[in-house]
Amino acid sequence: MNYYSLNKKAPNTTFKNAVVKGLAPDKGLYFPESITPLPEDFFKNIDHLSNSEIAFTAIKQFVSPEIPEAILKTIVEETLSFDFPVVTLDKNVSTLELFHGPTMAFKDVGARFMARCLGYFNKDNTNEVTVLVATSGDTGGAVANGFLGVKGVNVVILYPSGKVSDIQEKQLTTLGQNITALEVDGVFDDCQDMVKRAFLDDELTSKMQLTSANSINVARWLPQLFYFIFAYKQLHNTHKNIVFSVPSGNFGNICAGMVAQQLGLPIKHFIASNNENNVVTNYLKTEDYNPKPSVQTISNAMDVGNPSNFIRIQEIYKNNFSALKENLSSFSFSDKETKEALATIYKEYNYVADPHGAVGYLGCKAYLKNNEDVHCVFLETAHPTKFLDVVEEVIKEKQPLPEQIQSVIHKTKVATKIGSYNELKSFLLKN
Ligand SMILES: *Cc1c(COP(=O)(O)O)cnc(C)c1O
């Protein structure tokens, strides 16, 4: 598959190049030249397919021929070595748990898939790459874990000091080996700005191959389409009109869901559930796309003021606002509403959600008000114990820590503090 730049000022390129470069030379995001629907039989026979078989069939067109099929099968199997269960709460609402991977957030899948693709492209040790990534919370841990020990790949993670949860910080600062954490005196947008500046810095890029492991990278973004098919497999025999409520920050996950829909997955509607960072909610109301600085919330992985993947969504709908509105609703919720939702979900269903999932649940509820005949699946994008302070404050019960969390909690943080772009640059040039 070849990819084109959404800025339309760079040549089309291969999957390999799109992964290794991250962004196109004209700074546009890459988008696949075509999306060919899967045969109807694939969805009819889905009950007989394993997760790996589903994923292999769904992703093949986007990566072949550059990754041979036998290798792609192995990459997919290794990436998906944990479960993606749907838990039904009542006749209208289910949740899809995406937190059973090593860092207990949905980003594990994209990070593990991308790391293995880069590992394959670097199999002869000819393409040393530095992965530079800004995180508002979960990306850092997932990328650190996914890339740990991958030959020829160095990972540098920037995170905002004091603005990620304790467990998130441990997950990204305690691994060592080829992973370095930089603690930035600032907010997530500052981290993201520094990363963007590094990609534009000719002095740096002439000395090293930089790439991004944020969802702008096609190998991180596209595998997220698997989730929607996995949920469909579990629900299609009992529920017809399935809609997804996706807690959204950079809009990579929901956009991947829309690609699954383009592949023929019968999804009736999408709901982008936002915290108070509500550029897209406002856009759907006003048709005015107005990015703003991010504000800090308890669902911190969604504290994004200018969602980078929204442009891919616009591309899927060919910039047709009314076609987009037909298929996408968006709601925004405050921290207070999110905490109330955590309490309600616990009280009514004896289910402990995390703050991001709770925003997704609220999105379902808001949509169901006018659409009673659908089954709404909200994505549980992180395990509740990653946000222990908030969850225990609301639930008023101690939460048992899963093994993945226990294994990092007593490790010692190692991070280098930086305060400016120049410090980042000299760090990169020294290493
Ligand atoms: C990253 C993240 C999100 C937002 O996903 P996007 O693809 O950026 O929209 C939501 N919840 C959690 C827990 C996350 O880590």
Side-chain angles (χ1 to χ4, degrees):
M1 170 72 69
N2 279 346
Y3 288 77
Y4 61 96
S5 163
L6 291 178
N7 280 353
K8 316 247 160 89
K9 294 194 184 75
N12 292 12
T13 196
T14 59
F15 174 69
K16 176 179 171 180
N17 252 326
V19 177
V20 172
K21 304 268 190 261
L23 268 184
D26 63 357
K27 310 304 161 202
L29 271 66
Y30 280 117
F31 197 86
E33 272 182 358
S34 62
I35 301 176
T36 308
L38 298 169
E40 253 175 63
D41 274 1
F42 171 77
F43 296 106
K44 274 205 199 114
N45 299 331
I46 201 156
D47 292 342
H48 306 293
L49 301 176
S50 69
N51 281 353
S52 299
E53 288 166 336
I54 291 171
F56 171 76
T57 305
I59 201 80
K60 195 170 57 181
Q61 63 176 288
F62 299 107
V63 305
S64 62
E66 286 144 90
I67 300 186
E69 292 201 355
I71 299 205
L72 178 61
K73 275 197 176 132
T74 311
I75 290 179
V76 164
E77 272 163 24
E78 288 176 6
T79 298
L80 300 173
S81 60
F82 41 89
D83 294 332
F84 302 84
V86 168
V87 177
T88 293
L89 300 184
D90 66 26
K91 75 179 201 321
N92 291 115
V93 182
S94 291
T95 178
L96 170 64
E97 294 185 344
L98 300 178
F99 55 65
H100 294 279
T103 73
M104 310 207 90
F106 80 92
K107 295 188 172 74
D108 279 329
V109 166
R112 287 157 70 83
F113 185 84
M114 180 183 162
R116 284 166 175 77
C117 291
L118 268 186
Y120 173 73
F121 292 139
N122 191 47
K123 60 187 184 311
D124 307 321
N125 258 338
T126 43
N127 301 305
E128 182 134 326
V129 178
T130 298
V131 171
L132 192 59
V133 62
T135 182
S136 61
D138 286 326
T139 302
V143 167
N145 191 287
F147 282 79
L148 183 67
V150 176
K151 269 196 313 184
V153 182
N154 294 309
V155 177
V156 178
I157 300 165
L158 284 76
Y159 73 98
S161 183
K163 302 210 168 49
V164 302
S165 80
D166 290 347
I167 288 165
Q168 287 174 330
E169 184 173 45
K170 289 279 167 129
Q171 285 180 328
L172 62 96
T173 57
T174 59
L175 288 172
Q177 295 187 44
N178 56 333
I179 315 292
T180 310
L182 299 179
E183 181 175 3
V184 175
D185 184 15
V187 295
F188 169 67
D189 292 336
D190 299 318
C191 301
Q192 187 140 333
D193 287 346
M194 285 192 205
V195 168
K196 282 190 185 146
R197 225 174 125 184
F199 286 117
L200 295 171
D201 189 325
D202 294 336
E203 197 191 336
L204 269 182
T205 54
S206 65
K207 296 206 168 94
M208 58 205 310
Q209 178 61 59
L210 288 180
T211 193
S212 152
N214 287 94
S215 50
I216 58 169
N217 195 300
V218 293
R220 246 274 331 257
W221 166 55
L222 285 169
Q224 302 176 143
L225 66 86
F226 302 157
Y227 310 140
F228 301 84
I229 316 181
F230 296 164
Y232 174 79
K233 177 185 168 183
Q234 294 172 72
L235 286 168
H236 76 110
N237 288 319
T238 35
H239 296 287
K240 290 299 160 231
N241 298 323
I242 298 176
V243 306
F244 284 97
S245 169
V246 186
S248 294
N250 255 327
F251 281 70
N253 203 2
I254 194 168
C255 184
M258 290 170 172
V259 175
Q261 190 184 38
Q262 301 283 308
L263 290 174
L265 185 71
I267 299 175
K268 190 146 183 277
H269 198 77
F270 286 95
I271 302 154
S273 297
N274 288 146
N275 59 28
E276 291 194 65
N277 295 284
N278 54 8
V279 199
V280 172
T281 308
N282 289 341
Y283 172 67
L284 290 180
K285 263 189 220 146
T286 61
E287 209 176 335
D288 184 19
Y289 191 77
N290 193 7
K292 295 184 284 201
S294 62
V295 295
Q296 205 185 336
T297 74
I298 57 170
S299 45
N300 65 20
M302 310 197 297
D303 296 350
V304 180
N306 188 7
S308 41
N309 284 289
F310 198 66
I311 184 159
R312 285 188 169 132
I313 294 183
Q314 297 284 44
E315 184 72 7
I316 291 175
Y317 294 94
K318 313 224 162 26
N319 293 303
N320 180 333
F321 183 72
S322 50
L324 173 65
K325 259 191 101 142
E326 278 283 294
N327 199 36
L328 176 70
S329 301
S330 181
F331 305 97
S332 150
F333 304 97
S334 66
D335 279 355
K336 181 163 174 281
E337 290 168 306
T338 306
K339 286 185 183 173
E340 284 162 6
L342 280 177
T344 308
I345 300 168
Y346 187 55
K347 198 170 116 224
E348 305 225 329
Y349 309 111
N350 197 26
Y351 187 85
V352 181
D354 95 294
H356 305 78
V359 171
Y361 168 83
L362 287 168
C364 278
K365 284 288 170 186
Y367 184 75
L368 283 164
K369 266 188 201 144
N370 297 317
N371 300 274
E372 290 158 12
D373 61 336
V374 303
H375 192 76
C376 185
V377 183
F378 69 91
L379 307 195
E380 244 307 0
T381 46
H383 192 274
T385 53
K386 291 192 85 173
F387 304 92
L388 212 52
D389 314 358
V390 180
V391 171
E392 289 186 344
E393 173 203 320
V394 174
I395 306 289
K396 302 197 169 57
E397 256 176 48
K398 272 243 157 288
Q399 295 301 304
L401 294 186
E403 179 194 312
Q404 291 100 312
I405 305 279
Q406 277 182 21
S407 67
V408 293
I409 212 156
H410 300 295
K411 289 196 185 160
T412 310
K413 157 181 161 183
V414 180
T416 304
K417 288 207 175 187
I418 62 165
S420 67
Y421 177 71
N422 283 337
E423 288 176 74
L424 170 65
K425 184 167 172 178
S426 42
F427 177 87
L428 290 172
L429 289 172
K430 261 199 314 247
N431 286 272

